[in-house]
Amino acid sequence: MKKILIANRGEIALRVMRTARKMGIRTVAVYSEADRDALHVRYADEAVLIGPAPSSASYLSIDKVIKAAKLTGADGIHPGYGFLSENAEFARAVERAGITFIGPNAHSIELMGSKLAAKEAVKDYNIPMVPGVDEAIIDVDKAKRIAKEIGFPILIKASAGGGGKGMRIVEDAASFEPQMDRAVSEAISAFGDGSVFIEKYIGSPRHIEIQILADMHGNVLYLFERECSIQRRHQKVVEEAPSAIVTPEIRKRMGAAAVRVAQACDYVGAGTVEFLMDQDKNFYFLEMNTRLQVEHPVTEMITGLDLVEQQIRVARGEVLSFFQEDLKITGHALELRIYAEDPLNDFLPSVGTLDTYVTPSGEGIRLDDSYEEGMTIPIYYDPMIAKLVTYGSNREEAIQRMREAIDAYHIKGAQTTLPFGKFVCDHEAFISGNFDTHFIKNYYSKEHILEQQGTEMAVAAKAGLRFFLEERDRLRVNNRIPSSWKNNR
Ligand code: MV4
């Protein structure tokens, strides 16, 4: 592979290019009209304009991306995350064009894109699953019977879903049918596929995922877990590795289960197997993400591996150069996603021009971003500004570094989730490790941030007053200097 086209934008495009460059591989950016001045365009060796701002006409256009690759002679395409990264048709079209898709084969993507197909595929692989049915509900009465057996509440899920879309909690038998009708029509309008199934509802789960890495020669390894329970409307905000509650014994079992999931779909490349963990630390397979994930840096920090480098090596057909026994966790890493969203206004997008953009740096700080002061956040795409990653020899140190890094990060021109990150790092439940996917719902309200800002403002006011008094005294001294001398400047 001599030249890679990155079919993405923002921080992930830059992040992939950095590794390509390190490996001596040339890079091609694609960009939309809204991204003419974007950093990924500037950073790449070559850049191709592929269309107007809306993603559907640019970053999501299979034809345009492949045309750009042919035009520039790219022999590999990295899809990043989002956009076309989990589009089986795209993976197929890339291979058909004689270009290497840096990701799993189209079959794996397709299989894991359907929750029911995924359940079916892993059936004989001894993977712990949430009690429920593993086929689409056709007979409502039968489903109701099974629901009673499992015990309410149960969850109706869309097979084509993911990220929480098309999910319905059913509290009792009476509300089964109306909730089911809603789930089906929601699934049809969102995914064009009304297949739904039921699972026992795990009330206070943690979301823990395992990073896996597989080569074309049958080697599959797990790169430990990431804890992603701090989410808002299925959008992760804080992630960490390792999880504060996963023991070496659980880690080994989860890792082995994740490897079997990968084997069940002939997986190649970097992938993530998601699990739910209940309050008794039982874990259940949820779904597999067949892409590089946003939060992959925390895994890189604790393993010392470059996941993009591994993706490229595996895509070139190389054998993984290490074994499971070679991998170990060193230290602890946290990631805060900094979104241009207003934590004081229900996390609504708050895009604008970054009038001030001063970033933290130093030991144990990694910042994956794609902005510079003066740049404007486009309204067309994901409003993530940056991923602030901190590393420490232990969890406490990583948290303390995150606090300091947040304080050293100065953004003006858009409201961001930075103060929310501070709230999390200062929260007793987070610090103790005793939290679940309801953390934000249970503990967060904007008053906490207002209070925090109030305290900060009070501190600033006090500092300002002291400065004023000191200056006044100094100036008074100056006033005693004879005017003839003072004016002689
Ligand atoms: C669940 C669940 C409870 N019980 N399944 C949400 C997204 C999709 N990937 C699966 N999800 C869930 N599935 C059962 N049987 C609770 C969730 C869930 C959740 C999972 C992970 C992280 C955040 C979440 C927030 C709400 C619900």
Side-chain angles (χ1 to χ4, degrees):
M1 230 180 278
K2 294 198 166 58
K3 197 191 261 192
I4 290 175
L5 179 144
I6 296 88
N8 216 301
R9 63 181 301 284
E11 67 86 17
I12 194 61
L14 281 169
R15 191 259 165 273
V16 172
M17 287 178 198
R18 253 178 239 125
T19 290
R21 187 161 287 178
K22 175 184 87 179
M23 296 173 79
I25 298 169
R26 294 182 59 77
T27 56
V28 180
V30 290
Y31 65 100
S32 73
E33 283 166 11
D35 276 340
R36 286 181 190 278
D37 300 322
L39 292 183
H40 77 282
V41 177
R42 229 191 286 163
Y43 191 84
D45 295 312
E46 291 168 75
V48 182
L49 175 68
I50 53 167
S55 325
S56 56
S58 48
Y59 298 107
L60 283 173
S61 167
I62 294 177
D63 275 358
K64 287 174 177 175
V65 169
I66 289 178
K67 272 204 192 100
K70 284 184 174 158
L71 180 79
T72 53
D75 48 9
I77 294 184
H78 195 298
Y81 54 70
F83 294 126
L84 295 169
S85 62
E86 291 180 284
N87 185 315
E89 193 198 326
F90 178 59
R92 231 171 244 129
V94 171
E95 296 290 340
R96 220 180 307 119
I99 301 164
T100 302
F101 180 74
I102 304 168
N105 56 58
H107 172 72
S108 306
I109 298 176
E110 220 155 51
L111 205 60
M112 291 301 162
S114 157
K115 311 300 154 231
L116 282 171
K119 276 181 191 264
E120 176 68 28
V122 306
K123 221 175 185 169
D124 301 328
Y125 285 78
N126 187 28
I127 311 295
M129 309 273 251
V130 186
V133 296
D134 53 8
E135 49 193 77
I137 299 172
I138 298 159
D139 181 343
V140 179
D141 288 329
K142 187 177 155 198
K144 231 165 151 175
R145 245 187 353 261
I146 295 168
K148 279 180 196 151
E149 270 170 41
I150 302 169
F152 288 97
I154 59 116
L155 197 58
I156 303 179
K157 291 185 175 184
S159 177
K165 265 193 229 133
M167 285 192 347
R168 290 268 157 191
I169 300 172
V170 186
E171 301 285 352
D172 49 47
S175 48
F176 189 91
E177 275 180 63
Q179 289 291 62
M180 158 113 185
D181 291 345
R182 282 207 198 110
V184 171
S185 63
E186 217 171 285
I188 290 172
S189 67
F191 316 111
D193 173 3
S195 313
V196 298
F197 59 96
I198 57 175
E199 277 180 1
K200 181 168 181 56
Y201 178 65
I202 313 284
S204 301
R206 295 173 76 118
H207 172 136
I208 297 174
E209 57 188 31
I210 304 278
Q211 175 70 53
I212 66 102
L213 193 56
D215 66 19
M216 290 175 190
H217 312 281
N219 303 299
V220 190
L221 307 177
Y222 64 90
L223 277 56
F224 316 111
E225 79 280 4
R226 292 185 288 260
E227 162 82 59
C228 309
S229 296
I230 311 249
Q231 311 203 351
R232 211 193 135 268
R233 296 208 194 126
H234 304 292
Q235 172 144 286
K236 296 167 187 162
V237 190
V238 177
E239 300 105 336
E240 64 178 312
S243 163
I245 61 151
V246 171
T247 63
E249 182 268 327
I250 297 173
R251 179 169 298 124
K252 212 166 173 174
R253 280 194 289 125
M254 280 183 103
V259 165
R260 292 197 300 275
V261 171
Q263 285 164 337
C265 66
D266 295 318
Y267 201 84
V268 173
T272 298
V273 182
E274 289 186 8
F275 294 95
L276 278 186
M277 185 174 276
D278 68 17
Q279 284 166 315
D280 302 323
K281 296 199 186 180
N282 298 305
F283 60 86
Y284 310 97
F285 169 59
L286 259 193
E287 51 195 79
M288 180 170 189
N289 301 318
T290 57
R291 59 167 191 275
L292 183 71
Q293 302 225 167
V294 176
E295 61 272 25
H296 76 275
V298 291
T299 298
E300 296 185 321
M301 301 299 268
I302 63 155
T303 59
L305 287 169
D306 177 333
L307 282 174
V308 174
E309 178 186 337
Q310 295 305 321
Q311 285 187 299
I312 293 170
R313 288 181 178 282
V314 160
R316 289 200 293 220
E318 292 179 27
V319 178
L320 286 173
S321 61
F322 41 87
F323 301 100
Q324 192 65 52
E325 312 83 77
D326 301 325
L327 296 172
K328 76 181 227 299
I329 298 175
T330 308
H332 200 99
L334 292 184
E335 175 179 283
L336 170 65
R337 297 193 193 183
I338 298 158
Y339 290 103
E341 290 176 351
D342 187 358
L344 294 179
N345 189 15
D346 206 23
F347 292 86
L348 285 177
S350 166
V351 293
T353 297
L354 300 171
D355 303 318
T356 301
Y357 189 72
V358 178
T359 58
S361 64
E363 201 191 326
I365 296 178
R366 166 175 170 179
L367 188 69
D368 287 24
D369 67 354
S370 58
Y371 286 97
E372 284 176 350
E373 202 161 88
M375 284 185 166
T376 299
I377 304 162
I379 56 165
Y380 300 96
Y381 316 109
D382 182 76
M384 196 173 76
I385 299 172
K387 303 188 305 205
L388 176 55
V389 182
T390 60
Y391 176 82
S393 55
N394 55 47
R395 191 166 184 266
E396 293 66 40
E397 193 172 77
I399 294 175
Q400 184 50 28
R401 285 220 166 109
M402 181 60 80
R403 286 196 193 99
E404 287 162 18
I406 291 170
D407 285 343
Y409 210 145
H410 300 288
I411 300 179
K412 285 202 184 105
Q415 298 304 314
T416 74
T417 48
L418 273 170
F420 175 77
K422 192 76 176 295
F423 164 78
V424 174
C425 289
D426 287 341
H427 199 281
E428 183 277 322
F430 181 71
I431 294 167
S432 69
N434 180 24
F435 58 90
D436 59 39
T437 54
H438 304 302
F439 178 88
I440 295 180
K441 197 179 70 198
N442 286 349
Y443 302 122
Y444 178 71
S445 73
K446 67 176 182 184
E447 278 67 36
H448 288 102
I449 298 223
L450 287 170
E451 193 179 310
Q452 197 177 63
Q453 286 176 347
T455 313
E456 272 162 25
M457 245 138 75
V459 170
K462 261 189 205 146
L465 178 63
R466 184 179 308 148
F467 179 73
F468 166 75
L469 292 171
E470 281 167 9
E471 281 294 283
R472 196 182 55 181
D473 289 346
R474 204 168 60 79
L475 292 173
R476 272 210 199 114
V477 171
N478 279 349
N479 286 344
R480 277 186 235 121
I481 295 169
S483 59
S484 56
W485 189 87
K486 197 169 64 179
N487 295 333
N488 189 19
R489 286 202 267 169

